[in-house]
Amino acid sequence: MLEIRNLYVNYGNVEALHGINITVNKGEIVTILGANGAGKSTTLNSICGLVRAVKGEILFKGEPLHTRPAHEIVKLGIAQSPEGRRVFSTLTVKENMMLGAFTIEDKALIKQNEEWIYSLFPRLEERRSQLAGTLSGGEQQMLAIGRALMANPRILLLDEPSLGLAPILVKSIFDTVRTINKHGVTVVLVEQNARAALKLANRGYVMEVGSVVMEDDAAALLRNPEIQNAYLGGGH
């Protein structure tokens, strides 16, 4: 469904991605692991059209994405819940959600998506008319995911959804991601919490300084001694 081929991305004069290859099949949850600065967020941002490829291709169902502007990519069916949540703090929960639906003209579909998201995150429905800036971190994370889902995506890109959240909330958010996936949304997950991510995902890629250094089934990565030492050791 999504294919990244030999992708190179620069930030200024610095090469941030060095020819990475990643494949995501329909219906999968694929996780991208790696330390800070490995290029995980850059990878998601390049899929969304927020950073441009210097070389290589990104294909969605065979169609090139790397040549298109970001708003067209959302229309095609790819939405991101960004790192740090980036909710609009002076707007209400409902207004934030509606901004996620800016590419959709079908009012009935918008309503249907909104109701589905409130069923996934009942807390958001309770706080519909509250300003997003007054929500807790966990609620803001729910809102960031809900806002992305309002675009009716075929692929949901999640960038560090567990960052700064209490363990009980992390579990709840990951359970919801599983439910979203069962509804037919393919998920690409960038996550510091490697253990939780691998338990959720079908497959994983490990990145180090802009390169993919390993790819495997999630279960195999969980058992891999190198991964255990680097990412799962000592309860990190």
Side-chain angles (χ1 to χ4, degrees), residues 22-67:
I22 290 176
T23 305
V24 180
N25 300 310
K26 189 176 192 302
E28 283 190 309
I29 299 179
V30 172
T31 186
I32 304 175
L33 307 173
N36 274 338
K40 308 182 301 292
S41 292
T42 305
T43 302
L44 291 193
N45 287 337
S46 59
I47 297 169
C48 293
L50 297 175
V51 294
R52 284 277 161 231
V54 178
K55 193 173 140 199
E57 299 181 297
I58 305 171
L59 303 172
F60 175 54
K61 298 191 294 190
E63 295 288 313
L65 287 187
H66 51 282
T67 52

Side-chain angles (χ1 to χ4, degrees), residues 6 37-38 90 117 131 196 206 221:
N6 196 30
T90 57
I117 292 157
L131 292 182
V206 180
L221 289 172

